[in-house]
Amino acid sequence: MLDFRPTSKQHSPTTQRKQVKNLFTLLAQSCLLRHHPFEACSRSSLHLQSQLERQLIMQSEMRERQMAMQIAWSREFLKYFGTFFGLAAISLTAGAIKKKKPAFLVPIVPLSFILTYQYDLGYGTLLERMKGEAEDILETEKSKLQLPRGMITFESIEKARKEQSKFFIDK
């Protein structure tokens, strides 16, 4: 079975496209084995293959663009926050020296954590560590990902829709 989750080896869109093509080649071959080669199965499966392949590529590119925007936002925030942190650190240090109260330096500690986090998100390895943790959760902690009452089905949606329409009809 092919794995579509991005890992260090499978991250590029080219690799994902190849995996999708391989998957649909297998599907088309299994379809051709069950049916006569000249039946509509091969034509419709090729159409479905190209349509699904385009959708998967589009989803992958949209996800990549969203991640790029998140990283860009973090880098931009870091510029402003870094300036604020620098001014605050200088001011608080000067105040602590002038007033001879080291308590003025206390706000620098939480501010430095925020600065470090934003730097790690924008320029560090935070995203790679988060991806690794997410992959571990997907592999080892599947039970925590289960929806209450199980997977949503067509029947459950129809039941909820009918109950909702009864509610509005009764009013």
Side-chain angles (χ1 to χ4, degrees), residues 71-83 114-115 118:
I71 293 168
W73 182 89
S74 178
R75 289 178 180 178
E76 192 65 25
F77 179 80
L78 182 64
K79 291 174 191 174
Y80 288 98
F81 189 77
T83 303
I114 296 170
L115 183 71
Q118 288 299 325

Side-chain angles (χ1 to χ4, degrees), residues 1 5 7 13 19 57 99 109 144 146-147 151:
M1 180 157 187
R5 287 176 290 151
T7 63
Q19 286 181 331
I57 291 168
K99 301 282 185 178
V109 175
K144 292 183 180 179
Q146 300 299 319
L147 293 171
M151 183 67 111

Side-chain angles (χ1 to χ4, degrees), residues 61-78:
E61 287 184 13
M62 288 299 294
R63 183 192 57 80
E64 287 175 359
R65 289 178 187 187
Q66 288 172 346
M67 291 298 294
M69 284 298 293
Q70 180 183 1
I71 293 168
W73 182 89
S74 178
R75 289 178 180 178
E76 192 65 25
F77 179 80
L78 182 64

Side-chain angles (χ1 to χ4, degrees), residues 115-132:
L115 183 71
T116 304
Y117 173 80
Q118 288 299 325
Y119 180 82
D120 196 18
L121 182 62
Y123 296 100
T125 60
L126 178 65
L127 290 176
E128 285 88 20
R129 294 192 313 266
M130 288 171 56
K131 274 192 260 183

Side-chain angles (χ1 to χ4, degrees), residues 65 76 89-90 98 115 128 132-133 151-153 171:
R65 289 178 187 187
E76 192 65 25
I90 291 169
K98 188 175 180 181
L115 183 71
E128 285 88 20
E133 187 67 28
M151 183 67 111
I152 297 173
T153 63
K171 275 193 162 182

Side-chain angles (χ1 to χ4, degrees), residues 9-71:
K9 296 178 185 175
Q10 300 173 329
H11 191 290
S12 71
T14 307
T15 306
Q16 291 175 347
R17 285 185 194 110
K18 287 178 185 177
Q19 286 181 331
V20 170
K21 285 181 182 180
N22 290 340
L23 174 67
F24 284 111
T25 302
L26 291 172
L27 287 172
Q29 287 173 353
S30 68
C31 185
L32 289 175
L33 290 175
R34 287 182 302 212
H35 300 286
H36 192 273
F38 298 109
E39 289 183 19
C41 175
S42 61
R43 281 180 280 164
S44 64
S45 68
L46 291 177
H47 175 69
L48 290 174
Q49 173 184 350
S50 64
Q51 185 179 7
L52 187 55
E53 184 177 327
R54 284 192 301 269
Q55 288 176 352
L56 290 171
I57 291 168
M58 183 185 70
Q59 286 176 352
S60 176
E61 287 184 13
M62 288 299 294
R63 183 192 57 80
E64 287 175 359
R65 289 178 187 187
Q66 288 172 346
M67 291 298 294
M69 284 298 293
Q70 180 183 1
I71 293 168

